[in-house]
Amino acid sequence: MRMKKIFVILCSIFCLFNAHAQDYKKLHFESILCDTHNDIISTCLEKGYSFDEDLTGKTHSDLNRMFKAGVDVQVFSIWCDGTQPNPYAFANREIDTLYAWIKRNPSKMMLVTNSDELMQAIKQHKLASMIGVEGGHMMENSLDKLDSLYARGTRYMTLTWNNNTDWATSAKFEHDSAQSQRKIGLTDFGKQVVQHMNKIGMMVDVSHVGEKTFWDVINTTTKPVIASHSSVYAICPVPRNLKDDQIQAVAKNGGVIQINFYSGFLDSTFDKKEKAFEARHAAEKGSLMKTGKNEFFADNALFTKYANEVRDMRASFQLVIDHIDYIKKLVGADYVGLGSDFDGISFPPQELDDVTYYPLVTKALLEKGYSKTDIQKILGGNFIRVLKANEVK
Ligand SMILES: [Zn+2]
């Protein structure tokens, strides 16, 4: 009798667990998941890969893994650093690459430039593919070039990357430089750029910008802004993250902050751990570089060789949820979303090895007691609201 009772209890626990597992998967795959930042285009150009081949083990994402992950909308980042001599031409070269992928995979991908097209792509089970330009230097100080980037499908522009433009200062610059630096924040032309983006229907992205630039944007924009891949400064105080007053200002503006998965933006102890790793392997890195490898490839060789050390160094998965929860508690669930930065970061959190682990985020939010409505806002609803609010019909 007693055995039978134990058996029944065990069965109910298993059934409950199983129902719960199915619940989170059902919710995850029936929700619209929008990831607003992925650098796979740059990675593919650098390494000679293509998004529509199986890149498992080589990258964080590829076309088929996007479907496994339940990603419905991906904003592809168009990026080059500030040293590129022809940044506008380079941006167009990257957009060409995305166009080629879409053309080769008409049943799996669709270029999306507004919320109607976004819903259409989802209905047709295609990856809604959007364009975000990461760095105002790519418009080369020309509103005409900005118009052309819009015409090719760009729907957000990150005003700066780590480098300044002639009209806006970056978080890196404002943090690293003395207060006495001659230009801080947006110039008059910078304000015109923001107004022009508002006019044509391109979202203003405040990730990477300095604090002064951020406040100048907030005081200039007439539309909700996006932080396409930034996290919370109060948990991890790095210049790329947003402070409480900035998060409150984005909420007041009706915008959204899309949480970045980079361990260095999630975990305040990461920087120390990374420096210790570098110190431990400095001699080996030096000899790798002497054999002709550049720094990027030397680092990657060490990350592969010492994979166990790298795994221990990465931020805990729980921190992703903590950053989301911090914003929800501070301003509400309407102002937070996901901008992984996959394929632009070397250290995603533990358990989020690649894009296919995305359902774990839904699972964790569900376990934390978030409502279905809030989860769906965070996964994509908030981003779609901001996209719509910026559209010009
Ligand atoms: Zn970035």
Side-chain angles (χ1 to χ4, degrees):
M1 192 61 188
R2 183 175 285 174
M3 279 307 285
K4 197 178 168 193
K5 215 171 181 181
I6 292 170
F7 180 71
V8 169
I9 291 169
L10 281 175
C11 274
S12 346
I13 291 171
F14 176 76
C15 287
L16 259 175
F17 176 77
N18 206 29
H20 180 72
Q22 280 169 1
D23 276 356
Y24 90 78
K25 281 191 181 152
K26 186 171 177 290
L27 175 60
H28 183 81
F29 286 99
E30 74 186 16
S31 303
I32 300 176
L33 171 52
C34 305
D35 180 327
T36 53
H37 202 89
N38 181 305
D39 278 300
I40 190 70
I41 297 181
S42 303
T43 302
C44 284
L45 287 183
E46 212 170 73
K47 298 186 177 173
Y49 298 157
S50 185
F51 182 59
D52 48 3
E53 58 184 344
D54 181 6
L55 299 173
T56 310
K58 296 176 181 167
T59 61
H60 296 142
S61 53
D62 57 43
L63 181 53
N64 284 337
R65 275 186 286 162
M66 287 291 186
F67 288 101
K68 280 188 198 155
V71 174
D72 299 282
V73 180
Q74 182 62 63
V75 186
F76 290 89
S77 169
I78 301 301
W79 174 83
C80 63
D81 69 21
T83 61
Q84 172 61 239
N86 302 298
Y88 174 73
F90 196 87
N92 276 290
R93 159 89 178 81
E94 292 202 332
I95 295 173
D96 288 344
T97 297
L98 179 63
Y99 276 26
W101 293 344
I102 294 170
K103 204 171 173 196
R104 278 207 300 272
N105 299 280
S107 62
K108 291 183 174 175
M109 294 177 82
M110 178 175 153
L111 180 70
V112 159
T113 62
N114 58 49
S115 52
D116 288 345
E117 289 172 2
L118 183 150
M119 294 313 295
Q120 215 180 308
I122 292 170
K123 243 185 230 154
Q124 296 174 16
H125 307 290
K126 294 177 183 175
L127 178 66
S129 306
M130 298 190 66
I131 299 173
V133 165
E134 188 182 15
H137 53 286
M138 281 173 269
M139 60 170 268
E140 296 182 347
N141 297 340
S142 155
L143 295 181
D144 284 345
K145 286 180 178 164
L146 181 60
D147 285 341
S148 300
L149 290 170
Y150 178 87
R152 297 207 75 197
T154 304
R155 287 301 176 268
Y156 78 60
M157 182 172 77
T158 320
L159 298 185
T160 69
W161 182 61
N162 290 338
N163 57 313
N164 290 343
T165 60
D166 290 334
W167 43 270
T169 43
S170 69
K172 184 170 167 39
F173 173 86
E174 288 192 23
H175 180 260
D176 295 351
S177 316
Q179 283 297 322
S180 57
Q181 288 290 344
R182 54 195 162 81
K183 55 181 176 120
I184 294 283
L186 286 181
T187 63
D188 285 345
F189 180 67
K191 288 172 191 163
Q192 268 184 53
V193 171
V194 169
Q195 285 158 352
H196 194 76
M197 290 170 78
N198 287 163
K199 192 175 109 192
I200 62 177
M202 191 188 286
M203 290 176 280
V204 177
D205 180 12
V206 294
S207 283
H208 280 285
V209 306
E211 258 186 283
K212 181 69 172 76
T213 301
F214 173 89
W215 289 109
D216 286 349
V217 169
I218 290 292
N219 292 326
T220 305
T221 185
T222 54
K223 302 266 183 76
V225 299
I226 179 176
S228 70
H229 59 307
S230 292
S231 301
V232 173
Y233 188 91
I235 302 179
C236 183
V238 293
R240 274 281 283 103
N241 285 344
L242 296 178
K243 293 182 176 168
D244 285 4
D245 56 351
Q246 293 179 297
I247 295 169
Q248 282 160 333
V250 171
K252 199 171 161 212
N253 154 276
V256 66
I257 298 144
Q258 306 282 96
I259 298 296
N260 188 313
F261 291 177
Y262 175 51
S263 289
F265 298 163
L266 293 172
D267 181 353
S268 60
T269 67
F270 178 79
D271 193 39
K272 214 169 118 191
K273 289 186 248 177
E274 192 187 24
K275 284 196 175 109
F277 179 91
E278 278 170 13
R280 276 199 303 279
H281 303 297
E284 195 171 351
K285 181 171 166 177
S287 43
L288 279 171
M289 287 175 74
K290 268 186 204 149
T291 65
K293 278 198 189 327
N294 71 20
E295 188 163 11
F296 178 83
F297 287 105
D299 280 337
N300 270 324
L302 291 175
F303 297 154
T304 310
K305 186 170 174 189
Y306 300 105
N308 287 346
E309 290 178 42
V310 166
R311 198 167 41 244
D312 294 343
M313 207 158 78
R314 287 158 56 188
S316 72
F317 169 74
Q318 182 53 39
L319 272 167
V320 174
I321 307 305
D322 291 350
H323 280 254
I324 294 171
D325 198 52
Y326 187 92
I327 296 182
K328 180 174 177 276
K329 284 196 176 121
L330 186 66
V331 292
D334 289 333
Y335 309 105
V336 60
L338 303 161
S340 66
D341 214 351
F342 272 133
D343 285 307
I345 55 174
S346 1
F347 306 103
Q350 291 168 12
E351 296 178 56
L352 280 175
D353 290 330
D354 75 1
V355 75
T356 60
Y357 292 87
Y358 244 131
L360 295 181
V361 174
T362 304
K363 181 174 183 260
L365 295 176
L366 205 55
E367 282 170 356
K368 210 168 167 60
Y370 278 35
S371 69
K372 185 179 163 185
T373 313
D374 281 353
I375 292 174
Q376 290 187 321
K377 282 179 185 172
I378 294 163
L379 292 181
N382 292 333
F383 168 69
I384 296 171
R385 181 196 75 232
V386 173
L387 173 68
K388 273 187 187 162
N390 275 271
E391 278 168 15
V392 176
K393 298 267 176 184

